[in-house]
Amino acid sequence: MISTVNRVLFIGAGRMAQAIIKGLVQQSDFHIAVTNNGDEQRLNYVKEKFGVEIVESWREEIETTDVIVLALPPEAHGSLLNELANFIDKHLIVTVAAGIDPAYLEKSLPEGTPVAWMMPNTAAELGKSMTLYTCGTHTNSSHEELLQQMLSGIGSYEKVTEQQIHELTPITGSAPAFVYAMADTLINCAMESGVTEQQARKLVAEMIGGAASMLKTGESPKQLADNVATPGGVTAAGLDVLDRNNFDGLISGAIDACHKRAKI
């Protein structure tokens, strides 16, 4: 049974773990413990910043833990799961690592272990992540409700299938970097007008934020673009350059490259 105060153990204390911890400490019904493979400096930082319990080893905490969050690189999961399998007793196991899906977790852990996979993005640090999640075969409604409560602390979330997470992660996880790359170019263009870098960053950030808000109104992206672009006008000239340089193909190619790299 999951207790009223849910005890969550983080194995790993990197930026994503810290973002999730930040969201959890704002809720009263979580007790959080963190371990990070002996990295005392990082553990002390996390303790001081978030006021959570730190432990030298996950073995110290596992008997009283409800949820174990694996916030480690994908390549670190194999050996850890093999060892965890000797101690797991109906704990909910959650990973935030790319490529480590519920099928992989279930193969490595005792039969009947509830597992889940969630893929936040870096905006989790601001509570603005668009997180994808999926659950394993043995995860019940109580587990899922708890998982959603955890996710609510870092932004929005969407339940999808295991395969869809593999397919959508380049869009929700990688594509923010494409937006930042575009923003960098726009900032440089803005600075050519004589404004400061700080002013240019504000102009571009607010523009992107406003455009994102418009996307949430329900109007299609094409209609929104048409609303900006008067036929034969300034914006239309810019869109024509994007079309002639196969902008759609460029973005699709970038997403395809992410998929191919993820399979290596």
Side-chain angles (χ1 to χ4, degrees):
M1 292 289 293
I2 297 175
S3 57
T4 302
V5 176
N6 300 289
R7 300 181 67 88
V8 183
L9 170 64
F10 284 80
I11 303 180
R15 292 181 66 176
M16 190 54 68
Q18 290 176 36
I20 300 170
I21 290 168
K22 180 181 177 181
L24 291 181
V25 296
Q26 298 173 25
Q27 305 180 50
S28 61
D29 41 2
F30 288 99
H31 173 86
I32 302 164
V34 187
T35 185
N36 194 50
N37 196 27
D39 188 338
E40 291 186 15
Q41 184 176 0
R42 179 169 290 182
L43 286 175
N44 287 331
Y45 170 80
V46 170
K47 179 181 180 180
E48 291 176 10
K49 185 170 184 178
F50 302 110
V52 297
E53 179 185 0
I54 60 172
V55 293
E56 290 187 9
S57 169
W58 52 264
R59 297 171 191 81
E60 300 175 22
E61 192 74 13
I62 195 166
E63 287 188 8
T64 57
T65 292
D66 301 307
V67 184
I68 300 174
V69 179
L70 306 180
L72 300 165
E75 61 271 17
H77 277 59
S79 58
L80 175 61
L81 289 169
N82 287 339
E83 192 171 0
L84 273 174
N86 298 312
F87 297 87
I88 293 301
D89 182 21
K90 304 303 181 183
H91 298 80
L92 172 61
I93 309 298
V94 182
T95 183
V96 298
I100 306 297
D101 54 31
Y104 181 94
L105 294 174
E106 289 177 343
K107 283 182 182 178
S108 305
L109 296 169
E111 177 65 28
T113 301
V115 302
W117 181 24
M118 61 183 189
M119 287 300 297
N121 60 36
T122 54
E125 297 178 16
L126 301 177
K128 296 290 186 178
S129 176
M130 178 61 250
T131 303
L132 305 174
Y133 82 93
T134 192
C135 299
T137 308
H138 308 290
T139 306
N140 60 34
S141 58
S142 295
H143 294 126
E144 187 167 354
E145 183 178 344
L146 174 56
L147 183 64
Q148 290 177 347
Q149 187 177 355
M150 293 172 64
L151 291 173
S152 68
I154 58 172
S156 302
Y157 55 84
E158 192 72 25
K159 183 180 182 180
V160 294
T161 67
E162 185 173 298
Q163 183 57 36
Q164 285 171 331
I165 289 193
H166 285 291
E167 295 173 357
L168 292 171
T169 295
I171 295 173
T172 59
S174 301
F178 309 158
V179 175
Y180 303 145
M182 180 188 73
D184 189 50
T185 299
L186 293 173
I187 288 168
N188 289 332
C189 290
M191 289 174 63
E192 291 177 4
S193 74
V195 299
T196 65
E197 181 178 358
Q198 183 178 5
Q199 287 175 308
R201 287 171 63 91
K202 179 181 179 181
L203 290 171
V204 172
E206 293 295 336
M207 178 278 294
I208 292 174
S213 295
M214 291 298 291
L215 282 169
K216 296 178 181 179
T217 63
E219 282 198 82
S220 72
K222 184 180 185 309
Q223 182 59 54
L224 290 171
D226 288 344
N227 292 346
V228 179
T230 303
V234 173
T235 304
L239 288 172
D240 183 57
V241 172
L242 296 180
D243 289 341
R244 284 189 281 109
N245 286 275
N246 193 24
F247 182 72
D248 288 352
L250 188 64
I251 297 299
S252 296
I255 297 299
D256 188 53
C258 291
H259 282 306
K260 290 178 179 177
R261 175 60 63 177
K263 294 177 181 177
I264 293 176

Short mmCIF file of all heavy atoms in Angstrom, two decimals, residues 102-165:
data_model
loop_
_atom_site.label_atom_id
_atom_site.label_comp_id
_atom_site.label_asym_id
_atom_site.label_seq_id
_atom_site.Cartn_x
_atom_site.Cartn_y
_atom_site.Cartn_z
N PRO A 102 9.04 0.98 -20.04
CA PRO A 102 8.49 0.01 -19.09
C PRO A 102 8.84 -1.44 -19.41
O PRO A 102 9.07 -2.23 -18.50
CB PRO A 102 6.98 0.26 -19.17
CG PRO A 102 6.87 1.70 -19.50
CD PRO A 102 8.00 1.95 -20.46
N ALA A 103 8.88 -1.79 -20.69
CA ALA A 103 9.23 -3.16 -21.06
C ALA A 103 10.62 -3.51 -20.57
O ALA A 103 10.86 -4.62 -20.05
CB ALA A 103 9.14 -3.34 -22.57
N TYR A 104 11.55 -2.58 -20.70
CA TYR A 104 12.92 -2.80 -20.23
C TYR A 104 12.95 -2.95 -18.71
O TYR A 104 13.62 -3.84 -18.17
CB TYR A 104 13.80 -1.63 -20.67
CG TYR A 104 15.25 -1.75 -20.27
CD1 TYR A 104 16.20 -2.29 -21.12
CD2 TYR A 104 15.69 -1.30 -19.01
CE1 TYR A 104 17.54 -2.39 -20.75
CE2 TYR A 104 17.01 -1.40 -18.63
CZ TYR A 104 17.93 -1.94 -19.50
OH TYR A 104 19.26 -2.05 -19.12
N LEU A 105 12.23 -2.07 -18.01
CA LEU A 105 12.20 -2.13 -16.56
C LEU A 105 11.60 -3.45 -16.08
O LEU A 105 12.12 -4.08 -15.15
CB LEU A 105 11.39 -0.96 -16.00
CG LEU A 105 11.97 0.44 -16.21
CD1 LEU A 105 10.97 1.50 -15.73
CD2 LEU A 105 13.29 0.61 -15.49
N GLU A 106 10.50 -3.86 -16.70
CA GLU A 106 9.82 -5.08 -16.25
C GLU A 106 10.66 -6.32 -16.47
O GLU A 106 10.59 -7.28 -15.69
CB GLU A 106 8.47 -5.20 -16.96
CG GLU A 106 7.46 -4.17 -16.47
CD GLU A 106 6.13 -4.22 -17.21
OE1 GLU A 106 6.07 -4.82 -18.30
OE2 GLU A 106 5.15 -3.65 -16.69
N LYS A 107 11.46 -6.33 -17.51
CA LYS A 107 12.36 -7.46 -17.76
C LYS A 107 13.42 -7.59 -16.67
O LYS A 107 13.88 -8.70 -16.37
CB LYS A 107 13.06 -7.31 -19.11
CG LYS A 107 12.21 -7.64 -20.31
CD LYS A 107 13.03 -7.49 -21.58
CE LYS A 107 12.18 -7.76 -22.83
NZ LYS A 107 12.98 -7.56 -24.07
N SER A 108 13.79 -6.46 -16.09
CA SER A 108 14.90 -6.43 -15.15
C SER A 108 14.48 -6.57 -13.70
O SER A 108 15.32 -6.80 -12.83
CB SER A 108 15.68 -5.12 -15.31
OG SER A 108 16.10 -4.92 -16.65
N LEU A 109 13.19 -6.41 -13.42
CA LEU A 109 12.70 -6.39 -12.05
C LEU A 109 11.76 -7.56 -11.78
O LEU A 109 11.29 -8.21 -12.72
CB LEU A 109 11.97 -5.06 -11.80
CG LEU A 109 12.85 -3.81 -11.88
CD1 LEU A 109 12.00 -2.54 -11.88
CD2 LEU A 109 13.85 -3.78 -10.73
N PRO A 110 11.48 -7.86 -10.52
CA PRO A 110 10.62 -9.00 -10.19
C PRO A 110 9.24 -8.90 -10.84
O PRO A 110 8.72 -7.80 -11.04
CB PRO A 110 10.51 -8.93 -8.67
CG PRO A 110 11.75 -8.21 -8.23
CD PRO A 110 12.03 -7.21 -9.31
N GLU A 111 8.67 -10.04 -11.16
CA GLU A 111 7.33 -10.09 -11.75
C GLU A 111 6.34 -9.36 -10.86
O GLU A 111 6.31 -9.53 -9.64
CB GLU A 111 6.89 -11.55 -11.90
CG GLU A 111 5.48 -11.74 -12.42
CD GLU A 111 5.31 -11.25 -13.86
OE1 GLU A 111 6.30 -11.27 -14.62
OE2 GLU A 111 4.18 -10.86 -14.20
N GLY A 112 5.53 -8.51 -11.48
CA GLY A 112 4.51 -7.77 -10.74
C GLY A 112 4.94 -6.39 -10.28
O GLY A 112 4.13 -5.66 -9.69
N THR A 113 6.18 -6.01 -10.54
CA THR A 113 6.65 -4.69 -10.11
C THR A 113 5.98 -3.58 -10.92
O THR A 113 6.04 -3.60 -12.16
CB THR A 113 8.18 -4.56 -10.27
OG1 THR A 113 8.82 -5.57 -9.48
CG2 THR A 113 8.66 -3.19 -9.81
N PRO A 114 5.35 -2.62 -10.27
CA PRO A 114 4.77 -1.48 -11.01
C PRO A 114 5.87 -0.53 -11.46
O PRO A 114 6.74 -0.15 -10.66
CB PRO A 114 3.83 -0.82 -9.99
CG PRO A 114 4.39 -1.20 -8.66
CD PRO A 114 5.03 -2.56 -8.83
N VAL A 115 5.84 -0.16 -12.73
CA VAL A 115 6.88 0.72 -13.28
C VAL A 115 6.24 1.81 -14.13
O VAL A 115 5.11 1.66 -14.61
CB VAL A 115 7.90 -0.06 -14.13
CG1 VAL A 115 8.57 -1.17 -13.31
CG2 VAL A 115 7.26 -0.66 -15.38
N ALA A 116 6.98 2.88 -14.34
CA ALA A 116 6.51 3.97 -15.19
C ALA A 116 7.72 4.66 -15.80
O ALA A 116 8.83 4.63 -15.26
CB ALA A 116 5.66 4.96 -14.41
N TRP A 117 7.48 5.30 -16.92
CA TRP A 117 8.52 6.04 -17.65
C TRP A 117 8.00 7.43 -17.90
O TRP A 117 6.90 7.61 -18.44
CB TRP A 117 8.80 5.32 -18.96
CG TRP A 117 9.87 5.91 -19.85
CD1 TRP A 117 10.91 6.70 -19.47
CD2 TRP A 117 9.99 5.73 -21.26
NE1 TRP A 117 11.70 7.02 -20.55
CE2 TRP A 117 11.15 6.43 -21.67
CE3 TRP A 117 9.25 5.02 -22.22
CZ2 TRP A 117 11.57 6.46 -23.00
CZ3 TRP A 117 9.67 5.05 -23.53
CH2 TRP A 117 10.82 5.76 -23.92
N MET A 118 8.75 8.44 -17.49
CA MET A 118 8.34 9.81 -17.80
C MET A 118 9.51 10.55 -18.43
O MET A 118 10.65 10.38 -18.06
CB MET A 118 7.83 10.53 -16.56
CG MET A 118 8.79 10.72 -15.42
SD MET A 118 7.94 11.52 -14.04
CE MET A 118 9.30 11.89 -12.93
N MET A 119 9.17 11.37 -19.43
CA MET A 119 10.17 12.13 -20.16
C MET A 119 9.85 13.62 -20.09
O MET A 119 9.11 14.16 -20.92
CB MET A 119 10.22 11.65 -21.62
CG MET A 119 10.88 10.29 -21.80
SD MET A 119 12.60 10.24 -21.21
CE MET A 119 13.36 11.42 -22.33
N PRO A 120 10.39 14.31 -19.06
CA PRO A 120 10.22 15.76 -18.98
C PRO A 120 11.19 16.45 -19.95
O PRO A 120 12.03 15.80 -20.57
CB PRO A 120 10.60 16.07 -17.52
CG PRO A 120 10.83 14.75 -16.85
CD PRO A 120 11.13 13.77 -17.93
N ASN A 121 11.08 17.76 -20.06
CA ASN A 121 12.12 18.51 -20.75
C ASN A 121 12.71 19.53 -19.78
O ASN A 121 12.28 19.63 -18.62
CB ASN A 121 11.60 19.16 -22.03
CG ASN A 121 10.45 20.13 -21.81
OD1 ASN A 121 10.40 20.85 -20.82
ND2 ASN A 121 9.50 20.14 -22.73
N THR A 122 13.71 20.29 -20.23
CA THR A 122 14.45 21.13 -19.30
C THR A 122 13.62 22.27 -18.70
O THR A 122 14.00 22.84 -17.68
CB THR A 122 15.69 21.74 -19.99
OG1 THR A 122 15.29 22.41 -21.19
CG2 THR A 122 16.69 20.65 -20.34
N ALA A 123 12.47 22.58 -19.30
CA ALA A 123 11.59 23.61 -18.72
C ALA A 123 10.99 23.16 -17.39
O ALA A 123 10.35 23.95 -16.70
CB ALA A 123 10.49 23.98 -19.70
N ALA A 124 11.23 21.90 -17.02
CA ALA A 124 10.80 21.42 -15.70
C ALA A 124 11.39 22.26 -14.59
O ALA A 124 10.81 22.42 -13.52
CB ALA A 124 11.21 19.95 -15.53
N GLU A 125 12.57 22.84 -14.84
CA GLU A 125 13.22 23.68 -13.84
C GLU A 125 12.35 24.88 -13.46
O GLU A 125 12.44 25.41 -12.36
CB GLU A 125 14.57 24.17 -14.36
CG GLU A 125 15.57 23.06 -14.62
CD GLU A 125 16.88 23.59 -15.17
OE1 GLU A 125 17.13 24.82 -15.07
OE2 GLU A 125 17.66 22.78 -15.70
N LEU A 126 11.50 25.31 -14.40
CA LEU A 126 10.61 26.45 -14.16
C LEU A 126 9.17 26.02 -13.92
O LEU A 126 8.27 26.86 -13.86
CB LEU A 126 10.66 27.40 -15.36
CG LEU A 126 12.03 27.98 -15.73
CD1 LEU A 126 11.91 28.85 -16.98
CD2 LEU A 126 12.61 28.78 -14.57
N GLY A 127 8.95 24.70 -13.82
CA GLY A 127 7.59 24.21 -13.69
C GLY A 127 6.80 24.33 -14.97
O GLY A 127 5.57 24.41 -14.95
N LYS A 128 7.51 24.31 -16.12
CA LYS A 128 6.87 24.52 -17.43
C LYS A 128 7.13 23.36 -18.39
O LYS A 128 7.01 23.52 -19.60
CB LYS A 128 7.38 25.82 -18.05
CG LYS A 128 7.03 27.08 -17.28
CD LYS A 128 5.54 27.39 -17.35
CE LYS A 128 5.21 28.72 -16.70
NZ LYS A 128 3.76 29.04 -16.80
N SER A 129 7.48 22.21 -17.88
CA SER A 129 7.76 21.08 -18.76
C SER A 129 6.50 20.57 -19.45
O SER A 129 5.40 20.66 -18.90
CB SER A 129 8.36 19.92 -17.95
OG SER A 129 8.57 18.78 -18.76
N MET A 130 6.66 20.05 -20.66
CA MET A 130 5.62 19.24 -21.29
C MET A 130 6.14 17.81 -21.20
O MET A 130 7.01 17.40 -21.95
CB MET A 130 5.43 19.65 -22.75
CG MET A 130 4.38 18.82 -23.51
SD MET A 130 2.74 18.91 -22.80
CE MET A 130 2.53 17.26 -22.10
N THR A 131 5.62 17.07 -20.22
CA THR A 131 6.14 15.74 -19.90
C THR A 131 5.26 14.65 -20.48
O THR A 131 4.04 14.66 -20.30
CB THR A 131 6.25 15.56 -18.37
OG1 THR A 131 7.07 16.61 -17.83
CG2 THR A 131 6.85 14.21 -18.03
N LEU A 132 5.88 13.71 -21.14
CA LEU A 132 5.19 12.50 -21.59
C LEU A 132 5.38 11.42 -20.55
O LEU A 132 6.44 11.32 -19.94
CB LEU A 132 5.79 12.03 -22.93
CG LEU A 132 5.83 13.04 -24.07
CD1 LEU A 132 6.57 12.46 -25.26
CD2 LEU A 132 4.42 13.45 -24.48
N TYR A 133 4.35 10.60 -20.34
CA TYR A 133 4.53 9.47 -19.43
C TYR A 133 3.73 8.27 -19.91
O TYR A 133 2.74 8.40 -20.64
CB TYR A 133 4.16 9.84 -18.00
CG TYR A 133 2.68 9.77 -17.67
CD1 TYR A 133 2.13 8.60 -17.12
CD2 TYR A 133 1.83 10.85 -17.88
CE1 TYR A 133 0.78 8.53 -16.81
CE2 TYR A 133 0.49 10.78 -17.57
CZ TYR A 133 -0.04 9.62 -17.03
OH TYR A 133 -1.37 9.55 -16.73
N THR A 134 4.19 7.10 -19.48
CA THR A 134 3.46 5.86 -19.76
C THR A 134 3.72 4.91 -18.61
O THR A 134 4.72 5.03 -17.89
CB THR A 134 3.90 5.25 -21.10
OG1 THR A 134 2.99 4.22 -21.48
CG2 THR A 134 5.31 4.68 -21.04
N CYS A 135 2.81 3.99 -18.41
CA CYS A 135 2.88 3.07 -17.28
C CYS A 135 3.05 1.63 -17.75
O CYS A 135 2.68 1.28 -18.87
CB CYS A 135 1.62 3.17 -16.42
SG CYS A 135 1.34 4.81 -15.71
N GLY A 136 3.60 0.82 -16.86
CA GLY A 136 3.80 -0.58 -17.15
C GLY A 136 2.55 -1.41 -16.89
O GLY A 136 1.50 -0.90 -16.46
N THR A 137 2.68 -2.71 -17.09
CA THR A 137 1.56 -3.65 -16.99
C THR A 137 0.94 -3.70 -15.61
O THR A 137 -0.27 -3.88 -15.46
CB THR A 137 2.04 -5.06 -17.39
OG1 THR A 137 2.69 -4.99 -18.65
CG2 THR A 137 0.89 -6.04 -17.45
N HIS A 138 1.76 -3.55 -14.57
CA HIS A 138 1.29 -3.77 -13.20
C HIS A 138 1.04 -2.48 -12.43
O HIS A 138 0.86 -2.51 -11.22
CB HIS A 138 2.32 -4.64 -12.46
CG HIS A 138 2.68 -5.89 -13.18
ND1 HIS A 138 1.81 -6.95 -13.34
CD2 HIS A 138 3.82 -6.24 -13.86
CE1 HIS A 138 2.39 -7.90 -14.05
NE2 HIS A 138 3.60 -7.50 -14.37
N THR A 139 1.01 -1.37 -13.14
CA THR A 139 0.75 -0.08 -12.49
C THR A 139 -0.75 0.15 -12.40
O THR A 139 -1.44 0.13 -13.41
CB THR A 139 1.41 1.06 -13.30
OG1 THR A 139 2.78 0.76 -13.48
CG2 THR A 139 1.27 2.39 -12.58
N ASN A 140 -1.26 0.37 -11.19
CA ASN A 140 -2.70 0.54 -11.02
C ASN A 140 -3.08 2.03 -10.96
O ASN A 140 -2.23 2.92 -11.07
CB ASN A 140 -3.19 -0.21 -9.78
CG ASN A 140 -2.54 0.27 -8.49
OD1 ASN A 140 -2.23 1.45 -8.34
ND2 ASN A 140 -2.33 -0.64 -7.55
N SER A 141 -4.36 2.29 -10.76
CA SER A 141 -4.85 3.66 -10.77
C SER A 141 -4.25 4.50 -9.64
O SER A 141 -4.02 5.70 -9.80
CB SER A 141 -6.38 3.69 -10.70
OG SER A 141 -6.83 3.03 -9.52
N SER A 142 -3.99 3.88 -8.50
CA SER A 142 -3.38 4.61 -7.38
C SER A 142 -1.96 5.04 -7.72
O SER A 142 -1.54 6.16 -7.41
CB SER A 142 -3.37 3.74 -6.12
OG SER A 142 -4.69 3.48 -5.69
N HIS A 143 -1.23 4.13 -8.34
CA HIS A 143 0.13 4.47 -8.77
C HIS A 143 0.10 5.62 -9.78
O HIS A 143 0.91 6.55 -9.70
CB HIS A 143 0.81 3.26 -9.41
CG HIS A 143 1.06 2.12 -8.49
ND1 HIS A 143 0.63 0.84 -8.75
CD2 HIS A 143 1.69 2.06 -7.29
CE1 HIS A 143 0.99 0.04 -7.77
NE2 HIS A 143 1.65 0.76 -6.87
N GLU A 144 -0.83 5.53 -10.72
CA GLU A 144 -0.88 6.55 -11.76
C GLU A 144 -1.29 7.90 -11.19
O GLU A 144 -0.77 8.95 -11.59
CB GLU A 144 -1.83 6.14 -12.88
CG GLU A 144 -1.79 7.08 -14.06
CD GLU A 144 -2.48 6.54 -15.30
OE1 GLU A 144 -2.92 5.37 -15.29
OE2 GLU A 144 -2.58 7.29 -16.28
N GLU A 145 -2.21 7.88 -10.25
CA GLU A 145 -2.62 9.13 -9.60
C GLU A 145 -1.44 9.77 -8.88
O GLU A 145 -1.23 10.99 -8.94
CB GLU A 145 -3.76 8.85 -8.61
CG GLU A 145 -4.30 10.10 -7.93
CD GLU A 145 -5.45 9.79 -6.99
OE1 GLU A 145 -6.02 8.69 -7.08
OE2 GLU A 145 -5.77 10.67 -6.16
N LEU A 146 -0.64 8.95 -8.22
CA LEU A 146 0.55 9.44 -7.53
C LEU A 146 1.55 10.00 -8.53
O LEU A 146 2.14 11.07 -8.32
CB LEU A 146 1.18 8.31 -6.72
CG LEU A 146 2.51 8.60 -6.03
CD1 LEU A 146 2.40 9.81 -5.12
CD2 LEU A 146 2.97 7.37 -5.25
N LEU A 147 1.73 9.30 -9.63
CA LEU A 147 2.65 9.76 -10.66
C LEU A 147 2.21 11.11 -11.22
O LEU A 147 3.02 12.02 -11.40
CB LEU A 147 2.73 8.72 -11.78
CG LEU A 147 3.71 9.00 -12.92
CD1 LEU A 147 5.14 9.02 -12.42
CD2 LEU A 147 3.54 7.96 -14.03
N GLN A 148 0.92 11.26 -11.48
CA GLN A 148 0.40 12.52 -12.00
C GLN A 148 0.59 13.65 -10.99
O GLN A 148 0.87 14.80 -11.38
CB GLN A 148 -1.07 12.37 -12.37
CG GLN A 148 -1.31 11.49 -13.59
CD GLN A 148 -2.79 11.30 -13.89
OE1 GLN A 148 -3.64 11.62 -13.06
NE2 GLN A 148 -3.10 10.77 -15.05
N GLN A 149 0.46 13.34 -9.72
CA GLN A 149 0.68 14.35 -8.68
C GLN A 149 2.13 14.82 -8.71
O GLN A 149 2.42 16.01 -8.57
CB GLN A 149 0.33 13.78 -7.30
CG GLN A 149 0.37 14.81 -6.19
CD GLN A 149 -0.06 14.22 -4.85
OE1 GLN A 149 -0.47 13.07 -4.76
NE2 GLN A 149 0.07 15.01 -3.80
N MET A 150 3.05 13.87 -8.90
CA MET A 150 4.46 14.23 -9.01
C MET A 150 4.71 15.09 -10.24
O MET A 150 5.43 16.09 -10.19
CB MET A 150 5.31 12.96 -9.07
CG MET A 150 5.30 12.14 -7.80
SD MET A 150 6.12 10.52 -7.99
CE MET A 150 7.80 11.05 -8.35
N LEU A 151 4.10 14.71 -11.35
CA LEU A 151 4.31 15.43 -12.61
C LEU A 151 3.72 16.83 -12.58
O LEU A 151 4.25 17.75 -13.23
CB LEU A 151 3.69 14.64 -13.77
CG LEU A 151 4.37 13.32 -14.13
CD1 LEU A 151 3.56 12.56 -15.16
CD2 LEU A 151 5.78 13.57 -14.65
N SER A 152 2.65 17.02 -11.83
CA SER A 152 2.00 18.33 -11.79
C SER A 152 2.92 19.40 -11.22
O SER A 152 2.74 20.59 -11.49
CB SER A 152 0.72 18.26 -10.96
OG SER A 152 1.00 18.04 -9.58
N GLY A 153 3.94 18.99 -10.47
CA GLY A 153 4.87 19.94 -9.89
C GLY A 153 5.87 20.50 -10.88
O GLY A 153 6.57 21.47 -10.56
N ILE A 154 5.96 19.89 -12.07
CA ILE A 154 6.95 20.37 -13.05
C ILE A 154 6.30 20.86 -14.34
O ILE A 154 6.99 21.17 -15.31
CB ILE A 154 8.00 19.29 -13.38
CG1 ILE A 154 7.34 18.01 -13.91
CG2 ILE A 154 8.87 19.00 -12.17
CD1 ILE A 154 8.35 16.98 -14.42
N GLY A 155 4.97 20.93 -14.39
CA GLY A 155 4.31 21.47 -15.56
C GLY A 155 3.15 20.63 -16.04
O GLY A 155 2.45 19.99 -15.25
N SER A 156 2.95 20.61 -17.36
CA SER A 156 1.88 19.83 -17.97
C SER A 156 2.37 18.42 -18.28
O SER A 156 3.58 18.17 -18.36
CB SER A 156 1.42 20.50 -19.27
OG SER A 156 0.97 21.82 -19.02
N TYR A 157 1.43 17.50 -18.45
CA TYR A 157 1.81 16.13 -18.77
C TYR A 157 0.76 15.50 -19.68
O TYR A 157 -0.39 15.94 -19.73
CB TYR A 157 1.99 15.29 -17.51
CG TYR A 157 0.81 15.29 -16.57
CD1 TYR A 157 -0.25 14.41 -16.76
CD2 TYR A 157 0.75 16.18 -15.50
CE1 TYR A 157 -1.34 14.42 -15.90
CE2 TYR A 157 -0.33 16.19 -14.64
CZ TYR A 157 -1.37 15.30 -14.84
OH TYR A 157 -2.45 15.30 -14.00
N GLU A 158 1.17 14.48 -20.38
CA GLU A 158 0.28 13.77 -21.29
C GLU A 158 0.62 12.29 -21.25
O GLU A 158 1.78 11.90 -21.40
CB GLU A 158 0.45 14.30 -22.72
CG GLU A 158 -0.63 13.84 -23.69
CD GLU A 158 -1.97 14.51 -23.45
OE1 GLU A 158 -2.01 15.63 -22.89
OE2 GLU A 158 -3.00 13.90 -23.81
N LYS A 159 -0.42 11.46 -21.05
CA LYS A 159 -0.20 10.02 -21.06
C LYS A 159 -0.27 9.51 -22.50
O LYS A 159 -1.22 9.81 -23.23
CB LYS A 159 -1.26 9.30 -20.22
CG LYS A 159 -1.04 7.79 -20.15
CD LYS A 159 -2.10 7.11 -19.30
CE LYS A 159 -1.83 5.60 -19.20
NZ LYS A 159 -2.86 4.93 -18.38
N VAL A 160 0.74 8.77 -22.91
CA VAL A 160 0.80 8.21 -24.25
C VAL A 160 1.27 6.76 -24.13
O VAL A 160 1.55 6.27 -23.04
CB VAL A 160 1.76 9.01 -25.16
CG1 VAL A 160 1.22 10.42 -25.40
CG2 VAL A 160 3.16 9.08 -24.57
N THR A 161 1.38 6.07 -25.25
CA THR A 161 1.87 4.71 -25.22
C THR A 161 3.39 4.70 -25.14
O THR A 161 4.06 5.71 -25.41
CB THR A 161 1.44 3.92 -26.47
OG1 THR A 161 2.11 4.48 -27.62
CG2 THR A 161 -0.06 3.98 -26.66
N GLU A 162 3.93 3.54 -24.83
CA GLU A 162 5.37 3.37 -24.76
C GLU A 162 6.03 3.73 -26.10
O GLU A 162 7.01 4.46 -26.15
CB GLU A 162 5.68 1.93 -24.38
CG GLU A 162 7.14 1.61 -24.15
CD GLU A 162 7.31 0.19 -23.62
OE1 GLU A 162 6.79 -0.10 -22.52
OE2 GLU A 162 7.96 -0.62 -24.31
N GLN A 163 5.45 3.22 -27.18
CA GLN A 163 6.01 3.50 -28.50
C GLN A 163 5.91 4.99 -28.85
O GLN A 163 6.82 5.56 -29.46
CB GLN A 163 5.28 2.67 -29.57
CG GLN A 163 5.84 2.84 -30.98
CD GLN A 163 7.32 2.51 -31.08
OE1 GLN A 163 7.81 1.60 -30.41
NE2 GLN A 163 8.03 3.23 -31.91
N GLN A 164 4.83 5.62 -28.43
CA GLN A 164 4.67 7.04 -28.72
C GLN A 164 5.70 7.90 -27.99
O GLN A 164 6.14 8.91 -28.52
CB GLN A 164 3.25 7.49 -28.36
CG GLN A 164 2.21 7.02 -29.37
CD GLN A 164 0.79 7.28 -28.91
OE1 GLN A 164 0.49 7.30 -27.71
NE2 GLN A 164 -0.11 7.49 -29.86
N ILE A 165 6.10 7.48 -26.79
CA ILE A 165 7.17 8.23 -26.12
C ILE A 165 8.44 8.18 -26.95
O ILE A 165 9.12 9.19 -27.15
CB ILE A 165 7.42 7.72 -24.69
CG1 ILE A 165 6.25 8.10 -23.77
CG2 ILE A 165 8.73 8.31 -24.14
CD1 ILE A 165 6.54 7.93 -22.30
#
